[in-house]
Amino acid sequence: MLANASGDSYRRTAGIGALCGAFAGALTGVVEVVFLWSSLGQFVPGAGGKIATFLYVAILYALFGAMMTAIGAVCWRGFSRHTRAGAIGRAHRQGRERGPEHAVTGLAFAIAGVPVIAITFAAGYAFAYGTLAGRHHIGLVIAVAMILALAAAAAAAVLTIIIARPIELGLSRAARHRRLGPILACGYAPAVAILALGCAALAIFAATTWSTLSLLSLRPMVATIGFSMLLVPGTWAARATVAAVARRWPPGPAFWPRRIILAAAILVAVAIVLVLGGMDPVRKAATTGKTSLAEILTATLRRAVDVDGDGFSPILGGGDCDDFTAEVHPGGIEVPGDGLDQNCVGGDPSTTHSASDVGFAAIPAAIPKDLNVILITIDTLRADHLGTYGYDRPTSPNLDALGKRSTVFANAWAHAPSTRYSIPAILTGRYPLAVIYDYSVWWPGLSPENTTIAEIMQGRGRVTGAITNYRYFDRKRHMDQGFAFYDNTNQRLHRATPGKGPEETHGSSSRAQSDKAIAFVTAHAGAPFFLWVHYYDPHFGYERHPGFPDFGDRDVDRYDQEIRYTDHHIGRLLSALTHLGIAGRTAIVVTGDHGEGFGEHGINLHGYDLYAAQTRVPLIIHVPGIAPKRIAMPAGHVDILPTLANLVGARPSAEMMGHSLLGVMTGAVAPDPHRLVFQQLSYENHHEMRAAAGKRCHIIYNVSPDTSWELYRIDIDPAETRDVISDPGPCAGARGALEAWYDQSELPAGAAAALLAERPAIAHPIHVAFGDEVVLLGVDLPTAPVSRGQSFAVTYTFAATGTLSGNWKVFAHFESPQGGRFLGDHAPPRPFSWWKKGQFIRYSHTQTVPKNARPGDYSLWLGLFEKSARRPASSHDVVIRDDRAKVGTITVK
């Protein structure tokens, strides 16, 4: 009997908790969707779609709210009934019944504890940041941080006990008051005090850190707080509902209808979520920057359905087109001609990508033979904030004047939304994910295997110089490749904000950049030169510049003033060319490396999205001897290198992934009205996007984590306010074009050449087995000493003894006995998943010795890895340690 009573008690608690959470969750969803109702039109313009989104979010929140609060209520009941803490709570309630003066202990601890904990941990954080911010030993940082956290917790506990005692005495006296007593003795008083003080602490924290918090998505936190607050009225509603149900179906023979109704309600709710969430417009409206917890909760449901364990789901936009084959999922590695569509888009590619014609045109006689070239890149510059692109504010008088005597590409696009990937694309003429990177440094640098625009200019007799101004351009990232003069000292003028990443800096450098640029062109006015100047000031944070037009106090207003300030100093450089008498033989290219968001699509700043706000940039090309014009044909950053190479008489190369624009600039070639500029975004291996932009269409493929397609008619909707993927009209072919390019772009360059027809001759054969699928047959290293800062080739020869599924890479560490080390980890040009038993693979990988490497002998330790896993290594020929093989030695001098 007691057991049955206990079970009924827990069932009742679970039922009330579930109803409470369902009410609170549904109401949270309702409030959120109503608040964002008008903004849902980007994906669901009609009332029906908005109502479907409304239902999806409300029911999704209700389901998760019911589950979480039911579990929480049962756990709390068990905790309070069967633990010492529960006994103390019951004693507290009994004490409250004896007199209010005995019920204020918890309230005193709440009043003392919240501010003490907040202040103690704030002080601990400040001390830890000042002590650990510059440390590079991750183990030391973690250990010290843990010790400081424990110390802060201990200090907070002691201080709370000390401070709570006088507060308790004061409250005990106040509790004797006829009116105050019942309030202070209320069982909810400590919780109310904690909530009120916690909100006050959060408000103070938000006020002092708002410049950072305003950049973050706070909606999940706000929705969670709202849900928590709604649990109180939810509890009342749940108790009333349970009482009404009990009256209608009292315990006894009619108990089963309640269970049937409950099960049916859950099944219907789940079915509605799956059906509505399976509709792309509804799910995108609910999860793409519009609501808060909906994105997290949808992802949670997706993760619950992943049969093959590949991290992708077939439901709710998971995109897995075959949930029974782990190698098949969005972002999967394509194996051409195997009959499988590994990446679930575009079918099975059958051939490798062939280099296309880069479109070099004849150089008109009117263009000077000794042409100077200046490349100006402006950080974070949106095209639609310049007058020459239709902006109504006077942000760019000098660039507008330049545009009137130049070729202006009205539809120019960055291939990525960040400096990290855009600048390499500009410098190498390769798509961002096709650039060969040096991953031995944070924020990867350029590998010497790339051919840069500066190297091309050097080869055509130009004196090359670069004037940059940010830590990303440190020489260790090899942006200086091909530049005889490279000056990044103005990076000191942009100060990082303590505790923040690269998204915010303070300081100004446009004046100093132009000063250095003017000095360079003055010094080299008598000989042809190539100069790259990067202007950084429009990047966040936006700062005021006295003496320049004040457009207002909003972020976008200060951003516009930053553009005006930068434009002024670019104007000084352009005037200097005229003053020196070399303007008539100087070509000028101006572009932005990416754009900036100001709330479009609910997004601020840049870096993680391919919308026009983040990727539509200006491209102004002035060439003496070419008449000014405006060209609507789309152009991209990869077109800059072949265009300038064409201008100075260099030869086209298969490495160039863009197209020379010289022909359309001179009129020798008709602009291609159907051309597309392709875009790529890869962030932390879980945020993948691809896109294609034309004259009228911008299509975006969200590869992961939420697989979906978006399409915008940018010819009639340049702000991209309405997704028309379900009604593409004249953009119907855009998706197929992007799918085909995406498949081809994912095929690694050099994959075909790495496959040998038969076993090759090997000068120094070895045999190292990595699992049952791969055997290393030989490694060719340079025999002569290699200088610090020098590059060298390492040639690897493998035999495939099986197929190694997954995204395995080569682990290559050069280590000296004295503790020096540099890395050469890489993926082979022919992915391991392509290898088949009996094949032989040989390829070379370029390695650079760091300039700060210690002289001496370095052993090459080789292995295979995928994330934290390594393939087992075995050999009778070489030393094996921790599944790494010692396969050779080089000498660094």
Side-chain angles (χ1 to χ4, degrees):
M1 181 70 70
L2 290 175
N4 289 337
S6 177
D8 289 342
S9 174
Y10 277 104
R11 281 193 292 271
R12 178 181 173 82
T13 299
I16 292 176
L19 284 172
C20 170
F23 283 131
L27 192 54
T28 302
V30 167
V31 171
E32 191 166 30
V33 176
V34 168
F35 180 73
L36 297 166
W37 186 264
S38 60
S39 64
L40 299 178
Q42 175 187 350
F43 299 110
V44 285
K50 292 181 179 180
I51 293 171
T53 305
F54 176 92
L55 289 174
Y56 175 72
V57 174
I59 296 173
L60 182 69
Y61 281 27
L63 281 173
F64 274 91
M67 180 178 67
M68 298 304 296
T69 52
I71 294 172
V74 170
C75 291
W76 176 254
R77 186 169 187 82
F79 176 80
S80 61
R81 174 171 290 188
H82 302 293
T83 65
R84 176 63 179 162
I88 293 173
R90 289 192 296 275
H92 174 73
R93 290 193 295 273
Q94 292 170 0
R96 189 177 68 223
E97 294 170 358
R98 291 196 301 270
E101 66 276 5
H102 299 286
V104 296
T105 302
L107 182 59
F109 272 89
I111 294 173
V114 173
V116 164
I117 291 171
I119 293 171
T120 304
F121 276 87
Y125 172 82
F127 178 79
Y129 186 84
T131 305
L132 303 174
R135 304 286 183 176
H136 298 288
H137 192 295
I138 188 64
L140 174 66
V141 171
I142 293 173
V144 174
M146 291 174 65
I147 293 171
L148 289 174
L150 290 173
V158 172
L159 289 172
T160 299
I161 292 171
I162 294 172
I163 296 173
R165 182 55 181 165
I167 295 176
E168 181 182 9
L169 294 175
L171 291 175
S172 296
R173 293 190 181 94
R176 298 190 185 100
H177 190 276
R178 180 171 57 85
R179 293 182 179 178
L180 285 178
I183 297 174
L184 297 177
C186 175
Y188 294 108
V192 172
I194 291 172
L195 181 62
L197 290 170
C199 290
L202 285 174
I204 294 171
F205 173 75
T208 55
T209 60
W210 184 247
S211 62
T212 298
L213 290 179
S214 62
L215 306 178
L216 305 176
S217 175
L218 300 178
R219 288 175 183 162
M221 182 179 71
V222 172
T224 301
I225 293 173
F227 172 78
S228 302
M229 297 177 67
L230 289 171
L231 287 176
V232 175
T235 302
W236 298 335
R239 291 184 182 278
T241 301
V242 169
V245 171
R247 286 193 297 270
R248 176 64 181 85
W249 291 291
F255 180 68
W256 284 104
R258 286 188 287 178
R259 295 186 177 182
I260 294 173
I261 292 173
L262 176 62
I266 293 173
L267 290 175
V268 169
V270 171
I272 292 174
V273 165
L274 292 177
V275 170
L276 295 180
M279 301 176 181
D280 269 7
V282 171
R283 190 184 65 259
K284 286 188 291 188
T287 61
T288 308
K290 298 302 179 188
T291 58
S292 56
L293 289 176
E295 184 172 5
I296 298 172
L297 300 183
T298 300
T300 302
L301 280 178
R302 279 201 301 263
R303 284 192 292 268
V305 181
D306 179 14
V307 176
D308 55 17
D310 58 7
F312 292 85
S313 172
I315 66 169
L316 300 177
D320 197 337
C321 54
D322 183 353
D323 203 30
F324 297 95
T325 305
E327 290 76 25
V328 176
H329 55 77
I333 301 173
E334 280 287 3
V335 180
D338 69 344
L340 290 177
D341 181 13
Q342 275 89 355
N343 64 7
C344 294
V345 66
D348 177 30
S350 58
T351 60
T352 57
H353 177 66
S354 59
S356 60
D357 179 13
V358 294
F360 274 37
I363 304 173
I367 296 177
K369 302 298 182 185
D370 57 347
L371 191 69
N372 303 313
V373 178
I374 297 179
L375 171 62
I376 296 174
T377 54
I378 305 172
D379 215 298
T380 322
L381 182 62
R382 289 174 57 148
D384 59 358
H385 279 245
L386 298 184
T388 193
Y389 282 86
Y391 201 41
D392 56 0
R393 281 181 171 175
T395 58
S396 53
N398 291 291
L399 291 177
D400 296 346
L402 177 67
K404 289 178 180 179
R405 53 191 178 93
S406 306
T407 302
V408 175
F409 287 88
N411 291 295
W413 298 83
H415 306 291
S418 66
T419 304
R420 169 178 172 175
Y421 290 117
S422 287
I423 292 297
I426 292 171
L427 294 181
T428 67
R430 302 171 70 91
Y431 284 106
L433 299 185
V435 173
I436 307 170
Y437 291 101
D438 175 7
Y439 289 100
S440 66
V441 292
W442 180 67
W443 277 3
L446 295 183
S447 169
E449 295 171 82
N450 299 288
T451 300
T452 67
I453 191 169
E455 290 175 305
I456 292 173
M457 291 293 171
Q458 266 189 339
R460 298 301 299 167
R462 267 66 181 175
V463 178
T464 54
I467 300 169
T468 56
N469 52 352
Y470 188 53
R471 57 183 173 139
Y472 173 64
F473 301 114
D474 285 346
R475 284 183 179 270
K476 65 183 180 182
R477 295 187 180 88
H478 313 302
M479 304 291 171
D480 61 346
Q481 187 174 325
F483 288 103
F485 173 79
Y486 191 85
D487 186 346
N488 192 39
T489 56
N490 281 343
Q491 68 168 313
R492 59 186 171 81
L493 301 177
H494 292 281
R495 304 178 303 278
T497 303
K500 300 178 182 178
E503 72 275 4
E504 181 175 354
T505 60
H506 295 282
S508 176
S509 64
S510 289
R511 178 189 296 277
Q513 287 295 97
S514 285
D515 288 346
K516 289 179 181 287
I518 292 169
F520 180 91
V521 299
T522 301
H524 299 94
F529 62 78
F530 168 66
L531 174 64
W532 168 37
V533 190
H534 186 73
Y535 289 88
Y536 189 76
D537 285 341
H539 194 283
F540 184 77
Y542 319 116
E543 300 180 9
R544 293 187 180 279
H545 297 280
F548 290 85
D550 188 347
F551 299 115
D553 296 324
R554 299 174 303 164
D555 279 352
V556 68
D557 301 327
R558 294 195 302 275
Y559 169 76
D560 283 344
Q561 194 192 49
E562 292 269 37
I563 296 174
R564 178 62 181 262
Y565 178 74
T566 302
D567 175 86
H568 170 77
H569 290 291
I570 292 174
R572 290 174 50 225
L573 173 58
L574 300 180
S575 296
L577 299 176
T578 302
H579 177 74
L580 293 168
I582 60 174
R585 58 182 179 88
T586 302
I588 301 166
V589 179
V590 178
T591 191
D593 62 346
H594 53 77
E596 186 83 324
F598 292 99
E600 301 92 343
H601 306 277
I603 299 163
N604 290 314
L605 304 185
H606 61 269
Y608 311 103
D609 299 275
L610 293 176
Y611 293 120
Q614 283 78 24
T615 58
R616 199 165 193 170
V617 295
L619 180 59
I620 302 169
I621 303 180
H622 170 72
V623 180
I626 297 181
K629 58 175 61 69
R630 195 174 191 87
I631 296 177
M633 182 188 80
H637 281 157
V638 296
D639 298 323
I640 294 174
L641 182 143
T643 300
L644 296 183
N646 192 171
L647 270 174
V648 299
R651 296 181 63 83
S653 165
E655 294 180 47
M656 300 175 184
M657 295 185 172
H659 199 89
S660 173
L661 302 173
L662 182 59
V664 296
M665 292 170 60
T666 62
V669 176
D672 180 1
H674 305 295
R675 190 183 191 219
L676 295 173
V677 172
F678 297 103
Q679 300 174 309
Q680 299 170 317
L681 174 61
S682 179
Y683 177 70
E684 300 294 341
N685 296 319
H686 67 266
H687 184 70
E688 296 281 338
M689 300 174 71
R690 302 294 185 269
K695 281 179 60 176
R696 57 171 52 178
C697 317
H698 189 199
I699 187 160
I700 300 173
Y701 175 37
N702 301 296
V703 183
S704 63
D706 179 10
T707 304
S708 62
W709 290 81
E710 299 175 45
L711 178 63
Y712 300 96
R713 284 286 308 277
I714 52 177
D715 56 339
I716 58 176
D717 179 24
E720 299 182 337
T721 61
R722 180 164 297 182
D723 177 14
V724 295
I725 191 66
S726 58
D727 184 20
C731 297
R735 176 167 176 168
L738 179 56
E739 286 181 341
W741 176 84
Y742 174 47
D743 260 356
Q744 294 297 327
S745 69
E746 293 297 297
L747 300 180
L755 180 63
L756 305 181
E758 57 184 19
R759 183 186 180 98
I762 301 172
H764 305 287
I766 57 177
H767 188 283
V768 182
F770 294 104
D772 298 325
E773 302 88 0
V774 175
V775 173
L776 176 67
L777 301 178
V779 177
D780 296 332
L781 291 165
T783 55
V786 183
S787 300
R788 288 175 290 180
Q790 181 181 344
S791 299
F792 61 93
V794 183
T795 300
Y796 301 92
T797 305
F798 291 95
T801 52
T803 298
L804 185 57
S805 300
N807 191 24
W808 290 86
K809 296 181 181 180
V810 175
F811 173 103
H813 285 194
F814 292 83
E815 300 178 359
S816 74
Q818 291 75 33
R821 184 179 72 165
F822 56 94
L823 310 182
D825 298 354
H826 63 277
R830 190 174 187 87
F832 286 108
S833 59
W834 292 21
W835 297 15
K836 299 187 183 304
K837 186 176 181 179
Q839 292 180 338
F840 297 94
I841 292 89
R842 171 177 279 178
Y843 64 92
S844 293
H845 177 74
T846 300
Q847 181 70 48
T848 302
V849 179
K851 293 181 179 180
N852 60 352
R854 296 178 180 179
D857 291 338
Y858 284 75
S859 299
L860 172 55
W861 291 87
L862 198 74
L864 304 185
F865 73 97
E866 182 182 38
K867 297 181 180 178
S868 60
R870 292 187 189 175
R871 296 302 294 167
S874 61
S875 177
H876 297 295
D877 299 332
V878 300
V879 175
I880 301 293
R881 183 184 304 159
D882 297 329
D883 290 323
R884 305 183 307 162
K886 184 179 178 181
V887 297
T889 303
I890 66 164
T891 300
V892 174
K893 64 178 182 179

